[in-house]
């Protein structure tokens, strides 16, 4: 049997011939995941931006507005591993729907916090809303459970791409949300949270009814019965023993940290240079389009050319973005081009890296390593965003861009070492 790259044992044989025998068609699985992603994305996009305004209002100080994104990221990180464990025990259907319900509960708590004017309650609601982001991340891995190796990255990238729809539609619900909120007697700035409740409930229903039979449980049941499957391991144990998984998780996390560090400071930099909110919003919108819109292209490339070449391509695009940001920091056009490239580099690296994460281990270990990958990704992004502020204040936007190149260098060096290790012939056994 074939050996999993970076693993210590063979990959169990599976047969995914088609719907016979209770195997759900992969096209149906991807369609359900796309539907859930769109609904979840609408819910998240409609509330996270307003969360910062609500945080400033309830706390009485704009200094606390950044806690909205911080608590959401923290919530996503805390939910990643428990949802992965739930997927192993009960399947993707239960895990994804549970995460969506937790996010919906967070939206209800956020509305309540505004009604009673309790700031800590808002922070709790935003943290629970972060579970929606964890669901969005886990859904991309769910697309790989029954995928064939030749289309695994493509299927994953289609689910990633679907986030674009929610990201675009969500912010446009601010106005209608306030109108609905006023009609329902909700406090100001909370109408969009009502949309989030409805969207997360709908997403949970889509996952519960659509993922039958469950793709992960089905994939695990299709293992070669003549080979005794190893017991599932924890994500940390996998990282210690599996070089391929270590590399893939690090590539995704460091690419995400690079993106968040520069992106999170761009609105501040542009505003300091006199850009209007319209210009700032347009720049960030182009960046988000770069992150998601071309992900199927990178998924197709990863299937055709291989995971490592696309990761290298992604790092090259990230490097180009940072060079432009460093030398054209005073140009709005330069910053905009840099942000678009930043999104494209993130997309290539994360799509190909996530495909490597999914295929670096046996099927029963996939949820564990995927949970660790999502935890690492969110933690790296939070750390990158937190450190970017002091760096911007001390070194400026150009200095931040040049310093972020160190993260790209780490991924490129690690990629070269990983490729060399994978290409090395096995050592002969004597005796």
């Amino acid at each position: 049997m074939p050996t999993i790259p970076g693993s210590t044992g063979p990959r169990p044989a599976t047969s995914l011939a088609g719907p016979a025998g209770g195997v759900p068609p992969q096209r149906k699985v991807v369609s359900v995941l796309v539907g859930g992603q769109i609904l979840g994305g609408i819910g998240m996009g409609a509330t996270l931006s307003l969360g910062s305004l609500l945080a400033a209002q309830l706390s009485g100080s704009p200094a606390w507005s950044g806690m909205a994104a911080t608590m959401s990221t923290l919530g996503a990180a805390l939910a990643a591993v428990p949802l992965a464990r739930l997927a192993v025990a009960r399947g993707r259907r239960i895990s994804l729907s549970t995460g969506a319900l937790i996010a919906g509960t967070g939206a209800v708590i956020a509305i309540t916090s505004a009604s009673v004017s309790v700031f800590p309650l808002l922070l709790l609601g935003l943290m629970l809303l972060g579970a929606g982001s964890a669901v969005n991340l886990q859904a991309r891995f769910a697309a790989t459970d029954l995928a064939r190796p030749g289309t695994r990255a493509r299927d994953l990238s289609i689910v990633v791409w679907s986030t674009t729809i929610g990201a675009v539609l969500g912010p446009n619900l601010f106005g209608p949300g306030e109108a609905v909120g006023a009609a329902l007697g909700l406090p100001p700035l909370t109408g969009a949270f009502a949309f989030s409740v409805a969207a997360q409930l709908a997403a949970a229903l889509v996952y519960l009814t659509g993922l039958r039979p469950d793709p992960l449980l089905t994939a695990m049941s299709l293992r070669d019965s003549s080979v005794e499957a190893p017991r599932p391991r924890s994500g940390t144990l996998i990282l210690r023993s599996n070089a391929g998984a270590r590399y893939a998780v690090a590539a995704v996390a460091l690419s995400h940290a690079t993106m968040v560090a520069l992106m999170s400071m761009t609105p501040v930099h542009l505003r300091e240079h006199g850009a209007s909110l319209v210009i700032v919003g347009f720049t960030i919108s182009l960046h988000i389009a770069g992150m998601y819109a071309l992900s199927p292209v990178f998924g197709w490339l990863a299937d055709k050319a291989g995971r490592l070449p696309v990761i290298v391509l992604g790092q090259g695009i990230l490097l180009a973005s940072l060079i432009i940001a460093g030398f054209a920091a005073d140009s709005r056009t330069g910053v905009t081009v840099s942000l678009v490239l930043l999104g494209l580099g993130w997309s290539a690296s994360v799509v190909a890296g996530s495909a490597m994460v999914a295929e670096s281990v046996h099927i029963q270990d996939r949820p564990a390593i995927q949970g660790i990958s999502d935890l690492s990704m969110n933690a790296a992004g939070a750390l990158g965003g937190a450190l970017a502020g002091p760096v911007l204040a001390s070194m400026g936007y150009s200095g931040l861009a040049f310093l972020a190149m160190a993260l790209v260098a780490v991924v490129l060096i690690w990629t070269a070492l990983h490729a060399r290790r994978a290409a090395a012939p096995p050592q002969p056994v004597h005796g």
Side-chain angles (χ1 to χ4, degrees):
M1 286 182 290
T3 301
I4 302 173
S7 70
T8 57
R11 174 181 293 160
T14 60
S15 174
L16 303 180
V23 182
Q26 175 66 358
R27 181 177 297 180
K28 174 195 172 187
V29 171
V30 172
S31 298
V32 171
L33 293 173
V34 165
Q37 283 284 83
I38 292 173
L39 290 167
I42 290 175
M44 300 303 294
T47 54
L48 289 183
S49 297
L50 289 179
S52 60
L53 299 176
L54 198 55
Q57 175 181 294
L58 295 184
S59 66
S61 170
W64 288 96
S65 60
M67 286 300 293
T70 300
M71 295 305 294
S72 177
T73 302
L74 176 62
L78 292 177
V81 173
L83 288 179
R85 290 176 177 171
L86 184 59
V88 173
R90 302 290 301 279
R92 299 287 191 191
R93 188 174 68 90
I94 299 299
S95 177
L96 295 175
S97 58
T98 298
L101 291 175
I102 292 173
T105 301
V108 172
I109 292 177
I111 295 173
T112 304
S113 72
S115 300
V116 298
S117 298
V118 177
F119 179 57
L121 193 61
L122 172 65
L123 297 182
L124 174 61
L126 293 173
M127 185 175 68
L128 293 178
L129 262 170
S133 297
V135 168
N136 288 350
L137 290 174
Q138 189 180 115
R140 80 190 194 279
F141 285 126
T144 69
D145 291 335
L146 292 172
R148 298 180 184 277
T151 60
R152 184 173 289 132
R154 183 203 65 185
D155 291 348
L156 181 150
S157 68
I158 290 173
V159 176
V160 172
W161 171 86
S162 65
T163 308
T164 311
I165 300 175
V168 171
L169 290 179
N172 291 309
L173 295 177
F174 292 166
E178 285 303 284
V180 171
L184 296 176
L186 299 178
L189 299 179
T190 63
F193 285 90
F195 281 166
S196 184
V197 174
Q200 294 295 345
L201 288 176
L205 184 62
V206 166
Y207 293 134
L208 276 174
T209 59
L211 294 179
R212 290 178 180 271
D214 189 276
L216 178 60
L217 297 182
T218 301
M220 294 176 68
S221 70
L222 291 173
R223 292 172 302 196
D224 189 349
S225 59
S226 64
V227 179
E228 183 178 355
R231 295 181 60 185
R233 297 175 295 167
S234 68
T236 52
L237 179 60
I238 294 170
L239 287 183
R240 287 198 297 267
S241 61
N242 189 323
R246 258 196 321 273
Y247 163 75
V249 168
V252 171
L254 292 174
S255 300
H256 190 62
T258 301
M259 185 275 292
V260 172
L262 190 67
M263 180 273 293
S264 62
M265 292 299 106
T266 298
V268 178
H269 171 71
L270 289 175
R271 288 292 285 169
E272 288 179 347
H273 285 70
S276 66
L277 287 177
V278 174
I279 295 297
V280 172
F282 180 67
T283 301
I284 297 301
S285 295
L286 290 177
H287 166 70
I288 294 174
M291 288 177 64
Y292 298 117
L294 294 185
S295 56
V297 175
F298 294 124
W300 177 83
L301 281 175
D303 285 330
K304 298 299 181 182
R307 317 310 190 211
L308 288 181
V310 176
I311 290 177
V312 172
L313 172 63
Q315 298 306 304
I317 298 174
L318 287 176
L319 185 60
S321 165
L322 296 174
I323 291 173
I324 294 173
F327 287 106
D330 294 331
S331 167
R332 292 179 187 174
T333 301
V335 171
T336 300
V337 171
S338 172
L339 262 287
V340 172
L341 292 175
L342 189 72
L344 291 172
W346 176 91
S347 182
S349 301
V350 169
V351 166
S354 297
M356 284 193 70
V357 170
E359 61 197 13
S360 65
V361 294
H362 294 276
I363 182 65
Q364 73 275 1
D365 286 333
R366 282 184 189 171
I369 193 62
Q370 290 160 4
I372 286 293
S373 178
D374 290 346
L375 172 62
S376 302
M377 185 178 179
N378 280 299
L383 183 61
L387 295 179
V391 172
L392 180 70
S394 61
M395 301 176 62
Y397 193 72
S398 295
L400 174 62
F402 290 134
L403 190 61
M405 292 181 188
L407 298 178
V408 176
V410 170
V411 176
L412 288 174
I413 293 171
W414 201 336
T415 301
L417 294 174
H418 180 74
R420 182 178 179 181
R421 176 181 177 274
Q427 296 296 320
V429 179
H430 301 285

